[in-house]
C-alpha cells in the first residue's frame, strides 16, 4: 500500500480526492462537518511537508451545472475546519482550473467546483480524467465513500501519476480496519448482520461464512430464515422466495463450522408504528396481525453473552426498526454489548449506513474501535470485492 509518508510533497501540488458530499440546509450552510473533519489530517500532512492541495469532490447528484449543489457553499466551512484560507475555482477542468492550480504556493489550498457538474466524472471518461490530472503533480485518494466507483477522479485519474500516487490517511485507516476483520481478525470472530432484507445481504453473508466463527442474524432478515425453518412469521417482513436460499446458507454454515445465531424471542407490534400495541413472542410463533420489529429480552441476554466473548466484531445493520424508539432496545443492547467487548480489548468495526446512524444516534460513537465512513464501499469490501479506487492506487 502506497501511503502518505512514503510520498514526497515538497513543492508538489497534490490533487486530493476528498469526500465533501456534506448535507446543506436551505440557506446552503453545512449541517454536518464530519466528512470535512475526516479529511483534515491528510491535508494538514501534505501542507506541513511543503506541498499545496487541490481538493476535488462531488456534492449530491446534479444533472449538469446546478448552483444549488455548488461547492462554493462549503468554502467557508472548509476554511474553518482547516483553520486556513481556502481558494475556490468555479470549474474543475480547463484553462481557468489549470491557471488556478498552477498559481498555488506552498501551504495553499484550492477547492475545485463540484466534479459531477461534468457527466464525464461518473462515466470515468479518460480524456476528462487526463484534464483533471493536469491540476497536480501527485495524486492522493482520501475518499473511501466513493472508492467503489470507477469514476474519473476516484480511479481513472490514478493512471496518469505512475508511482506519484498514494492513499490518504482516512482511506488507509478504512482499508486497515476491514483487513483487521476479514484477513487478520483475532478469533473468535463475530459478525452481526441486521437490516431489512436477506436479498440485499446475500453476497456479504456468503463472504462472511469464509471468515467468521459466529454470525448473529437480526433485523427483518430473521423472518425469512424462521419461515424457512417452519416458523410462523405473522405480518413480519419476509422474502419467501429466499427461503430455500436461507436453508442453503444454514447448511453451508454448518459445513464451515460457523455458528449462526437467530433471536429466540421478538418484540412485535400490531401495526408498523412506534405507538403500536407491543407483545413479545417466541421467534418461531408470531401470530397473524403481529409484526416483529425488534429482538426480545431473552435474545438480548443470549447475544450479550456471546458478544462479550468475541475478540473481533463486525456490525452491519440494525437489530430492528430502531427509528421507532419503542422498537430500538435490541439495537441499543447490541451496541452496549459491543461497547463492553471493545472496552475489554476486542476490535470492533461498524459499517454500512444504518448501523452507523444507530451508533451515532445512541451515543456509541467513541466506544467502537472503528466506524466506517463509507456505506456502499464498506459493503462491497465485505463482499470480498477489490474496490476500483483502491486497485488504481496499487497499480
Ligand atoms: P439495511 O439498509 O438493509 O441495513 O436496513 C435497515 C433498515 O432495516 C432500517 O431502516 C430498519 O428500520 C429496517 N428493519 C430492521 N428490522 C426490521 C424489521 N424487523 N422489520 C422491518 N424493518 C426492519
Amino acid at each position: 500500500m502506497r501511503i502518505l509518508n512514503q510520498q514526497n510533497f515538497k513543492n508538489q501540488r497534490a490533487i486530493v480526492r476528498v469526500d465533501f458530499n456534506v448535507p446543506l440546509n436551505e440557506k446552503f450552510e453545512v449541517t454536518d462537518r464530519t466528512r470535512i473533519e475526516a479529511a483534515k489530517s491528510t491535508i494538514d500532512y501534505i501542507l506541513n511537508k511543503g506541498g499545496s492541495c487541490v481538493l476535488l469532490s462531488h456534492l449530491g447528484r446534479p444533472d449538469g451545472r446546478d448552483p444549488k449543489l455548488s461547492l462554493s457553499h462549503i468554502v467557508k466551512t472548509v476554511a474553518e475546519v482547516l483553520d486556513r484560507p481556502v481558494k475556490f475555482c468555479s470549474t474543475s477542468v480547463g484553462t481557468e482550473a489549470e491557471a488556478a492550480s498552477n498559481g498555488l504556493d506552498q501551504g495553499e489550498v484550492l477547492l475545485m467546483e463540484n466534479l459531477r457538474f461534468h457527466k464525464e466524472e461518473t462515466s470515468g471518461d479518460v480524456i476528462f480524467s487526463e484534464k483533471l490530472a493536469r491540476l497536480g503533480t501527485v495524486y492522493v485518494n482520501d475518499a473511501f465513500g466513493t472508492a467503489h466507483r470507477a469514476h474519473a477522479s476516484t480511479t481513472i485519474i490514478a493512471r496518469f501519476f505512475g508511482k506519484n500516487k498514494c492513499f490518504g490517511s482516512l482511506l488507509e485507516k478504512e482499508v486497515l480496519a476491514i483487513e483487521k476483520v476479514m484477513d487478520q481478525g483475532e478469533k473468535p470472530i463475530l459478525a452481526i448482520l441486521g437490516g431489512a432484507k436477506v436479498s440485499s445481504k446475500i453476497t456479504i453473508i456468503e463472504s462472511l461464512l469464509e471468515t467468521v466463527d459466529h454470525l448473529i442474524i437480526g433485523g427483518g432478515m430473521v423472518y425469512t430464515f424462521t419461515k424457512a425453518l417452519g416458523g410462523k412469521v405473522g405480518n413480519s417482513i419476509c422474502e419467501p422466495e429466499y427461503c430455500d436460499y436461507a436453508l442453503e446458507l444454514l447448511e453451508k454454515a454448518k459445513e464451515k463450522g460457523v455458528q449462526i445465531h437467530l433471536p429466540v424471542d421478538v418484540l412485535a407490534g400490531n401495526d408498523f408504528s412506534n405507538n403500536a400495541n407491543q407483545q413479545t413472542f417466541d421467534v418461531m410463533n408470531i401470530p397473524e396481525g403481529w409484526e416483529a420489529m425488534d429482538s426480545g429480552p431473552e435474545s438480548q441476554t443470549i447475544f450479550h453473552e456471546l458478544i462479550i466473548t468475541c475478540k473481533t466484531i463486525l456490525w452491519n445493520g440494525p437489530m430492528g426498526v430502531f427509528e421507532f424508539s419503542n422498537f430500538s432496545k435490541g439495537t441499543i443492547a447490541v451496541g452496549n454489548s459491543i461497547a463492553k467487548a471493545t472496552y475489554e480489548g476486542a476490535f470492533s468495526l461498524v459499517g454500512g449506513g444504518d448501523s452507523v446512524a444507530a451508533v451515532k444516534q445512541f451515543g456509541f460513537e467513541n466506544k467502537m474501535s472503528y466506524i466506517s465512513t463509507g456505506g456502499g464501499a464498506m459493503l462491497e469490501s465485505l463482499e470480498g470485492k477489490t474496490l476500483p479506487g483502491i486497485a488504481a492506487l496499487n497499480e
Side-chain angles (χ1 to χ4, degrees):
M1 194 192 276
R2 288 193 191 97
I3 56 174
L4 268 185
N5 64 14
Q6 296 166 338
Q7 200 70 49
N8 172 29
F9 290 105
K10 181 101 185 125
N11 292 322
Q12 301 296 313
R13 269 177 298 126
I15 295 177
V16 189
R17 179 40 161 114
V18 289
D19 180 1
F20 285 173
N21 185 25
V22 290
L24 302 177
N25 62 19
E26 64 289 345
K27 290 190 210 146
F28 302 108
E29 294 159 339
V30 176
T31 55
D32 182 350
R33 305 172 159 207
T34 313
R35 288 183 168 162
I36 301 172
E37 286 162 355
K40 179 171 164 59
S41 131
T42 294
I43 297 166
D44 281 349
Y45 181 90
I46 295 166
L47 301 176
N48 289 336
K49 292 289 174 186
S52 54
C53 289
V54 179
L55 307 180
L56 299 183
S57 180
H58 73 283
L59 177 65
R61 294 180 175 199
D63 187 9
R65 190 167 271 274
D66 176 354
K68 289 197 196 95
L69 291 173
S70 169
L71 280 171
S72 62
H73 301 306
I74 77 163
V75 175
K76 184 168 157 276
T77 310
V78 177
E80 279 168 13
V81 172
L82 297 181
D83 198 19
R84 61 176 77 234
V86 171
K87 295 180 173 176
F88 180 71
C89 180
S90 59
T91 180
S92 46
V93 286
T95 324
E96 188 191 332
E98 286 173 39
S101 80
N102 281 328
L104 283 181
D105 283 330
Q106 267 188 12
E108 288 192 319
V109 180
L110 171 68
L111 175 65
M112 310 307 286
E113 184 55 287
N114 191 347
L115 291 164
R116 290 199 189 162
F117 284 179
H118 303 265
K119 63 180 182 337
E120 294 90 343
E121 162 64 1
T122 46
S123 66
D125 184 84
V126 179
I127 295 167
F128 179 72
S129 306
E130 196 270 330
K131 286 183 188 165
L132 287 176
R134 288 189 211 154
L135 301 177
T137 52
V138 183
Y139 171 68
V140 180
N141 190 350
D142 211 19
F144 181 68
T146 47
H148 60 314
R149 308 279 188 217
H151 293 173
S153 70
T154 63
T155 302
I156 314 302
I157 189 175
R159 68 176 70 157
F160 299 100
F161 288 90
K163 289 190 168 37
N164 291 334
K165 58 191 171 195
C166 67
F167 286 71
S169 57
L170 174 67
L171 187 63
E172 181 192 348
K173 270 193 252 161
E174 293 276 358
V175 172
L176 292 181
I178 292 164
E179 275 180 15
K180 203 155 174 181
V181 172
M182 301 301 278
D183 302 330
Q184 305 146 13
E186 188 183 343
K187 283 174 167 285
I189 306 174
L190 162 69
I192 305 170
L193 280 191
K197 291 179 169 177
V198 174
S199 52
S200 64
K201 305 267 160 125
I202 288 174
T203 354
I204 297 177
I205 301 178
E206 299 232 351
S207 157
L208 288 173
L209 289 182
E210 304 296 326
T211 306
V212 303
D213 303 295
H214 298 275
L215 176 60
I216 291 180
I217 292 181
M221 285 197 290
V222 168
Y223 313 102
T224 302
F225 281 86
T226 53
K227 189 174 177 69
L229 292 167
K232 291 189 190 145
V233 300
N235 295 16
S236 310
I237 188 170
C238 179
E239 295 172 285
E241 65 279 23
Y242 283 93
C243 281
D244 287 345
Y245 179 71
L247 291 178
E248 262 173 52
L249 278 178
L250 293 175
E251 200 49 46
K252 215 181 252 180
K254 210 184 272 172
E255 279 165 24
K256 295 195 178 288
V258 179
Q259 290 188 45
I260 302 238
H261 308 264
L262 290 163
V264 292
D265 59 349
V266 294
L267 183 66
N270 64 344
D271 68 60
F272 189 75
S273 81
N274 189 36
N275 297 322
N277 293 328
Q278 300 172 27
Q279 206 163 315
T280 302
F281 297 105
D282 181 303
V283 74
M284 297 298 280
N285 215 347
I286 304 163
E288 281 307 316
W290 291 88
E291 174 164 0
M293 292 196 275
D294 200 4
S295 51
E298 205 183 325
S299 310
Q300 288 161 28
T301 307
I302 295 170
F303 290 165
H304 177 76
E305 297 300 327
L306 171 65
I307 292 168
I308 55 167
T309 63
C310 291
K311 293 280 177 244
T312 304
I313 303 166
L314 167 75
W315 183 18
N316 168 261
M319 292 292 101
V321 187
F322 74 101
E323 298 92 335
F324 296 161
S325 57
N326 291 332
F327 296 92
S328 61
K329 290 192 192 74
T331 300
I332 296 175
V334 158
N336 269 320
S337 305
I338 302 175
K340 185 168 194 311
T342 308
Y343 181 74
E344 288 171 3
F347 179 81
S348 55
L349 167 61
V350 184
D354 273 329
S355 30
V356 174
V359 158
K360 288 186 176 169
Q361 184 177 328
F362 301 125
F364 295 118
E365 228 169 335
N366 298 318
K367 297 180 178 172
M368 308 289 159
S369 309
Y370 195 78
I371 299 176
S372 175
T373 58
M378 167 80 180
L379 296 181
E380 291 199 15
S381 301
L382 297 180
E383 287 171 3
K385 292 185 187 154
T386 304
L387 308 186
I390 288 168
L393 290 176
N394 289 330
E395 269 163 16

